[in-house]
Amino acid sequence: MTTKYLFFTGGVVSSVGKGVTAAATGLLLKERGFKVAVQKLDPYINVDPGTMSPYQHGEVYVLDDGAETDLDLGHYERFIDIRLSRSSNFTSGQVYAEIISKERRGDFLGGTIQVIPHITNEIKRRVASIGKETNADVVLVEVGGTVGDIESQPFLEVLRQLRNEVGRENVFFIHVTWLPYIKATGEIKTKPTQHSVAALRSIGISPNMIIARSDYPVDKDICDKIALFCDVEKEAVVPMITSDVLYEVPLLLEKAGVGDYLVEKLNMKSTRRVDMKPWEKLVERVRKPKQTVKVALVGKYVELQDAYMSVREALKHAALANDVEVEIGWVHAADLEKDKGWDVVQNADGILVPGGFGSRGIEGKILAARYAREKKIPYLGLCLGMQVMCIDFARGVLNHEDANSSEFDRGSEYPVIDLMLDQRAITDMGGTMRLGLYPCELQEGSKAAKAYGEKKVEERHRHRFEFNNNYKKDFEKGGMVFSGMSPDGKLVEVVEIADHPFMVASQFHPEFLSRPMKPHPLFVGFMKAARDGKK
Ligand code: GLN
């Protein structure tokens, strides 16, 4: 079968769930027996989001191969249940860097380097290569941003060119827009959608389908109006009302006939009958009233929950596995230092400290770990959450008040967390951490091993600092168990406290491998302990 291309563009406003829509569409095609590949094109100039503030960009999602990517890749992996690679996400920055280094090498000697064709050809090469690389039947390509952005123009130009090069019958454009609601008149408006389609058509792209997002029910005549003004078939205007359950999106798209429509229009042959029952059951279970478990998430970027997207989803998956509902209390770590926000921590059934960088709020996170340790409240630490747990242990149990991570105090006399040796000479910030999948061996009988039910695991990493092995013996004497180590025994991967219902933390990021249908064992273990110890 020739590879088919589904291009997702956004109109009107950003943050309407284009990534989720693409992910859910990918699932519908996978369920029909097609091999699906996904790619996100980010028009910004950063080489990757690794150096961007979570406030600007939300979570940095890490892949097996260590690529630091856009959080939409998390949606793709969770919905479609696939493992993506570096080629599934690239930015303008990467494209320009590549072309400029070629220019310096002299590859274009004599030529003037221009956006068209040099930049666009490099974009095209990357879009075209993912299908070949993955041997996919269908490649879903999502263009970041909104139609009309200056940055995204070269990307859209490439999609237009590709339509002719791979054949119109193999390409399908899905435009995801937003329908505003005017309260005063009780009306849903289609004009912004019309304008965004006009903008798209001015660069030579006519959408084949419009997915119109809305917070309110959309009547058939609104859809017909969009079809008429935007020149798409009536069946190809799909209203998508905001759902309270993220995992309902594929069901809504399936119900609207999106899967069948795509298969028909792209002239594909399904090899399997779609069975969305498992997803229906999942959504039913999410909606069923359940006992609530409260988790205090003590972080740095809590105003923007997108910064903890995968952690939040992993908590939800684990809650479902334990037949409870999770209520996340978002706690600003820096508040705890000022005696604020403690009510949320004190009322919580479990405390979670996620990853993070920089010193703001560090002491608050250490205090949260101390509270969990002393009051025997279930605790899950992720990366930095493991490091602060070790700092608290050194201070509170081993009486080294000066203990710290050299990330926050270079002069600490007891640097329990220190820079890895191979990190010392590094000067570039971007893409230089310990990144991606690494193996870890678990100690038999430990809480971690029990949670996993396995002895050897592989998890995704993103950190520069590491537990300092000089202090391992002191810690063990004090009651800390190093329950997960790298196979060569050199790097601490999981720590836990023996005399505690569940105080487990990992140097890696388990949240990246949690799936709605396959909740992550450490999160499940944590949630179970929180449920069982409920106040
Ligand atoms: N800042 C810490 C380090 O670099 C933790 C990183 C993280 O939590 N992802 O090691």
Side-chain angles (χ1 to χ4, degrees), residues 63-77:
L63 305 181
D64 287 348
D65 61 11
E68 297 174 274
T69 69
D70 186 74
L71 55 74
D72 276 329
L73 275 84
H75 291 311
Y76 307 157
E77 286 204 344

Side-chain angles (χ1 to χ4, degrees), residues 354-358 382-385 387 407-408 433 462-466 507 509:
F357 296 85
L382 312 174
C383 205
L384 183 63
Q387 299 176 353
E407 181 179 2
F408 315 121
M433 282 186 267
R462 181 174 185 249
H463 63 111
R464 218 179 279 287
F465 293 80
E466 198 84 59
Q507 186 56 80
H509 289 272

Side-chain angles (χ1 to χ4, degrees), residues 128-141:
S129 69
I130 184 152
K132 289 185 207 111
E133 202 177 286
T134 56
N135 203 13
D137 301 317
V138 195
V139 182
L140 291 89
V141 180

Side-chain angles (χ1 to χ4, degrees), residues 212-226:
R213 290 271 299 101
S214 166
D215 277 341
Y216 297 89
V218 182
D219 291 341
K220 173 117 196 342
D221 45 322
I222 296 275
C223 293
D224 291 352
K225 188 172 169 187
I226 295 173

Side-chain angles (χ1 to χ4, degrees), residues 85-106:
S85 77
R86 191 172 291 282
S87 44
S88 279
N89 189 200
F90 67 87
T91 67
S92 289
Q94 281 173 37
V95 171
Y96 275 86
E98 173 96 27
I99 292 301
I100 291 170
S101 80
K102 279 189 177 160
E103 188 273 337
R104 292 290 83 184
R105 237 174 26 217

